[in-house]
């Protein structure tokens, strides 16, 4: 489908809501075994569409899509997130909902989306990008290292019920 089509990266538009939501569902499906992201609500479809619509309407959020012809093959969200109140840099850029369709992987789609998000953050005078990765997602850990994201903290979880 999108294997050899020319790729472009742009800001998502209202008409992309369903396509972005579908990629976010595909991302969750690929992480069904994840200790955190495997716990889906029953109404995940409705909530997912609402979350994408909301993100598209907020000035402090950037939703990107990568397109190959008419098909959407990648997405990434970047939000202006508040930093710890006692620390310098009041806000940081926070990346999430990152997904590239298998057919388009390894062609620099993520690299291009991160570059665009970085420019968007620099324009807002943000000095840092952050994100979380799953502990059991070795591919994403390799990829983010390649893109210059070092591990800065670990999230620990203990179920109490
Ligand atoms: C992780 C993911 C977003 C990468 O997207 P992508 O468009 O294929 O990434 P890029 O082509 O821009 O590659 C970025 C870097 O990672 C490297 N890389 C990409 N795929 C790789 C692989 N399978 N093995 C090793 N390195 C890889 C690339 O070589 C590149 O590094 P370089 O510039 O030093 O050569 C994509 O594989 C994906 O959507 N995976 C499933 C969803 C997921 O895990 N998302 C969570 C991310 S937190």
């Amino acid at each position: 489908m999108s294997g050899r089509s020319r790729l472009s990266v742009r800001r998502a538009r209202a008409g992309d809501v369903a396509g972005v939501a579908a990629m976010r569902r595909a991302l969750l499906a690929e992480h069904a075994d994840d200790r955190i992201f495997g716990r889906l609500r029953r109404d995940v479809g409705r909530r997912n569409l609402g979350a994408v619509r909301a993100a598209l309407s907020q000035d402090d959020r950037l939703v990107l899509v990568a397109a190959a012809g008419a098909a959407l093959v990648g997405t990434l969200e970047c939000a202006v997130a508040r930093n710890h109140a006692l620390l310098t840099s009041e806000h940081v850029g926070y990346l999430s909902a990152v997904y590239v369709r298998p057919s388009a992987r390894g062609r620099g789609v993520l690299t291009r989306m991160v570059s665009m998000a970085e420019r968007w953050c620099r324009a807002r005078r943000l000095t840092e990008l952050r994100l979380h990765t799953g502990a059991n997602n070795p591919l994403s850990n390799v990829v983010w290292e390649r893109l210059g994201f070092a591990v800065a903290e670990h999230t620990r979880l203990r179920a109490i019920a």
Side-chain angles (χ1 to χ4, degrees):
M1 175 257 303
S2 54
R4 288 179 185 77
S5 309
R6 198 163 157 272
L7 290 162
S8 61
V9 174
R10 59 171 172 78
R11 192 164 193 160
R13 311 186 268 255
D16 298 322
V17 166
V20 171
M23 288 188 281
R24 291 186 177 193
R25 284 297 294 272
L27 170 63
L28 290 168
E30 285 195 30
H31 296 98
D33 296 336
D34 186 273
R35 199 164 171 203
I36 293 174
F37 288 99
R39 303 186 315 221
L40 295 184
R41 290 178 183 268
R42 289 161 71 104
D43 58 349
V44 60
R46 183 180 63 78
R47 284 173 179 268
N48 187 25
L49 281 169
V52 175
R53 272 193 207 101
L56 288 185
S57 69
Q58 291 165 12
D59 290 340
D60 62 351
R61 279 173 197 272
L62 173 74
V63 179
L64 296 178
V65 291
L72 297 185
V73 297
T75 188
L76 171 152
E77 180 168 332
C78 182
V80 177
R82 192 169 283 278
N83 200 9
H84 190 291
L86 302 184
L87 304 181
T88 60
S89 299
E90 197 176 342
H91 294 94
V92 300
Y94 186 79
L95 305 180
S96 66
V98 175
Y99 186 73
V100 176
R101 293 259 181 222
S103 61
R105 288 180 191 167
R107 295 170 61 190
V109 173
L110 174 62
T111 305
R112 287 172 62 182
M113 292 194 295
V114 170
S115 295
M116 195 173 281
E118 182 177 332
R119 283 198 298 279
W120 184 84
C121 287
R122 284 181 190 277
R124 281 155 187 75
R125 302 196 181 286
L126 303 179
T127 58
E128 186 177 311
L129 295 175
R130 292 186 193 171
L131 62 108
H132 281 88
T133 56
N136 60 354
N137 187 347
L139 169 63
S140 88
N141 287 316
V142 168
V143 166
W144 289 112
E145 285 286 337
R146 299 287 296 175
L147 292 176
F149 290 74
V151 175
E153 62 182 8
H154 296 282
T155 298
R156 292 188 180 273
L157 182 160
R158 177 165 68 93
I160 55 169

